[in-house]
Amino acid sequence: MSTAPTPLPEPHQVSINLGERSYAIQIGAGLLDVALDRCNLPPSSDALVVTNTTVAPLYAQKLIQAIGKNHERIHTVQLPDGEVHKNWETLNLIFDALLQNGCDRKTVIYALGGGVVGDMSGFAAASYMRGVPFVQVPTTLLAQVDSSVGGKTAINHPLGKNMIGAFYQPQLVVCDLSTLSTLPAREVSAGLAEVIKYGPIADMAFFDWIEANIGRLLARDPGALVHAVKRSCEIKAEVVGQDEREGGVRAILNFGHTFGHAIEAGLGFGQWLHGEAVGCGMVMAATLSQRLGLVEEAFVARLTRLVERAGLPIRGPALGAQRYLDLMRVDKKAEAGEIKFVVIDRPGHAVVRGAPDDLVVSVLDDCCDQPLSN
Ligand code: NAD
Ligand code: GLY
């Protein structure tokens, strides 16, 4: 008996409008269960699927089947898993695989995994033969709502987070929500940090919705996930469409990240998840906004409560105030040694500005575990 082919689930599509670099973000459950040939995959004989040792056994075969009609040869490379491996040595494994398999400048790189795989694959795609086509297939919530969209690619340097990289847009993003079923709960919470971020900076109605649906999101309710991913991608696409290379408004997407990156680098990459550091960093940045007289204490309390309900830390580690300041001066937004923060100037709107060191230290004193010591 012949079985009818499974129909492609009707995905939601969000477009990111960047002229000739425009592309679609496909969002739906089960997208990798069927051929992706209706998604305008870039044509090429060779493809390289870049993934890691955790994601490969779960989804590499699915992806290879889904893109099988589009390429004659599909190679794979499995990177070691973890933020601690987001470095030159691991990046070089991608170049090794491209060269060893004779990949030419039309070879499509598929990034299958979370933000670490996505950021490194994108950087490899930006630089291999001065640029090859690139498709993001994000499998973490954080990557689906943020890192796979917008073309920021990077590796870490021991002295600073994401310090070496390039702006390089993918040609397509495929968010299969079904992949989130295997994600550890801690990673779901980490992804929720970037979802929550979009509320204070751009859309308080979305913030209200997250507050009302945080239980469904933590339980991975498909309807809640699809709305969270879609609305997050819409907001990010809107911001990136206005300012692709972060000359201005795009910086608001880094709400919580100045403090957060300092936590990640200060503790050693991988100790706290990126989303955990961002969650706590948002509490600090909101507190700074309040001390600058921009928002009410009640707003800070509301955000703190939501971050906590999402399962994220709300108090920073005791790195020492001077260490925090030193680490934050390595941030990409810093100008001539002056640290810049994304602050909320009214709920639903953010701006970038500096702040006196003593005010920042007072925020660290109140938001970090003690003893913070100088
Ligand atoms: P990650 O890539 O380390 O993935 C988290 C963990 O989940 C890893 O162990 C991974 O192997 C595992 N995993 C991935 N998919 C899985 C699945 N479906 N089932 C089970 N396990 C799975 O972390 P992340 O949170 O996805 O990304 C964080 C990175 O993204 C950071 O390096 C951060 O700097 C970067 N980032 C980049 C941007 C950007 O705009 N480019 C934005 C935000 C964050
Ligand atoms: N995650 C911040 C940005 O993409 O600009």
Side-chain angles (χ1 to χ4, degrees), residues 93-268:
L93 297 176
I94 307 177
F95 297 128
D96 290 347
L98 287 161
L99 287 161
Q100 282 160 4
N101 288 298
C103 292
D104 61 21
R105 63 177 11 158
K106 289 199 163 166
T107 299
V108 182
I109 294 183
Y110 289 85
L112 175 70
V116 170
V117 164
D119 280 13
M120 280 196 292
S121 307
F123 191 27
S127 41
Y128 185 65
M129 295 196 179
R130 303 198 181 94
V132 294
F134 162 50
V135 172
Q136 287 268 18
V137 188
T139 62
T140 63
L141 181 59
L142 185 140
Q144 295 188 354
V145 300
D146 191 352
S147 65
S148 64
V149 174
K152 278 191 181 174
T153 76
I155 56 171
N156 298 327
H157 185 280
L159 295 180
K161 170 92 179 151
N162 291 336
M163 277 293 146
I164 299 157
F167 285 99
Y168 193 69
Q169 299 295 339
Q171 296 198 1
L172 174 70
V173 180
V174 180
C175 298
D176 184 343
L177 302 174
S178 303
T179 60
L180 303 181
S181 65
T182 52
L183 206 55
R186 188 178 167 196
E187 299 290 349
V188 174
S189 291
L192 287 174
E194 302 280 16
V195 177
I196 292 170
K197 167 185 86 177
Y198 293 112
I201 64 167
D203 183 353
M204 284 306 283
F206 185 44
F207 189 81
D208 295 344
W209 179 88
I210 302 166
E211 279 184 325
N213 290 279
I214 191 71
R216 290 174 70 208
L217 289 165
L218 285 165
R220 301 173 217 204
D221 173 279
L225 284 178
V226 79
H227 182 68
V229 175
K230 183 167 171 281
R231 187 66 196 125
S232 300
C233 288
E234 282 169 355
I235 295 170
K236 182 149 187 186
E238 170 76 30
V239 173
V240 173
Q242 289 173 45
D243 178 21
E244 183 183 5
R245 297 175 70 91
E246 202 166 306
V249 69
R250 183 170 178 166
I252 65 168
L253 296 172
N254 289 316
F255 176 52
H257 286 59
T258 309
F259 290 104
H261 285 170
I263 293 172
E264 286 187 87
L267 288 177

Side-chain angles (χ1 to χ4, degrees), residues 201-344:
I201 64 167
D203 183 353
M204 284 306 283
F206 185 44
F207 189 81
D208 295 344
W209 179 88
I210 302 166
E211 279 184 325
N213 290 279
I214 191 71
R216 290 174 70 208
L217 289 165
L218 285 165
R220 301 173 217 204
D221 173 279
L225 284 178
V226 79
H227 182 68
V229 175
K230 183 167 171 281
R231 187 66 196 125
S232 300
C233 288
E234 282 169 355
I235 295 170
K236 182 149 187 186
E238 170 76 30
V239 173
V240 173
Q242 289 173 45
D243 178 21
E244 183 183 5
R245 297 175 70 91
E246 202 166 306
V249 69
R250 183 170 178 166
I252 65 168
L253 296 172
N254 289 316
F255 176 52
H257 286 59
T258 309
F259 290 104
H261 285 170
I263 293 172
E264 286 187 87
L267 288 177
F269 296 119
Q271 291 300 306
W272 278 31
L273 301 179
H274 175 72
E276 292 171 338
V278 168
C280 182
M282 288 193 294
V283 172
M284 294 171 165
T287 306
L288 179 63
S289 310
Q290 187 260 325
R291 303 260 159 107
L292 287 165
L294 301 171
V295 291
E296 302 290 326
E297 225 170 295
F299 169 78
V300 182
R302 198 178 156 196
L303 175 63
T304 305
R305 174 88 186 106
L306 184 56
V307 170
E308 191 171 30
R309 287 177 69 206
L312 294 160
I314 54 169
R315 295 196 65 75
L319 297 178
Q322 191 55 49
R323 177 101 172 101
Y324 267 102
L325 292 173
D326 291 346
L327 287 162
M328 290 194 290
R329 283 200 182 88
V330 186
D331 187 76
K332 289 188 287 309
K333 289 183 297 304
E335 284 174 23
E338 191 197 3
I339 308 167
K340 300 281 185 186
F341 297 91
V342 180
V343 291
I344 306 301

Side-chain angles (χ1 to χ4, degrees), residues 10-15 23-27 38 172 230 234:
E10 218 38 73
H12 294 266
Q13 181 173 310
V14 175
S15 300
Y23 54 95
I25 305 159
Q26 302 283 352
I27 302 163
R38 276 194 264 163
L172 174 70
K230 183 167 171 281
E234 282 169 355

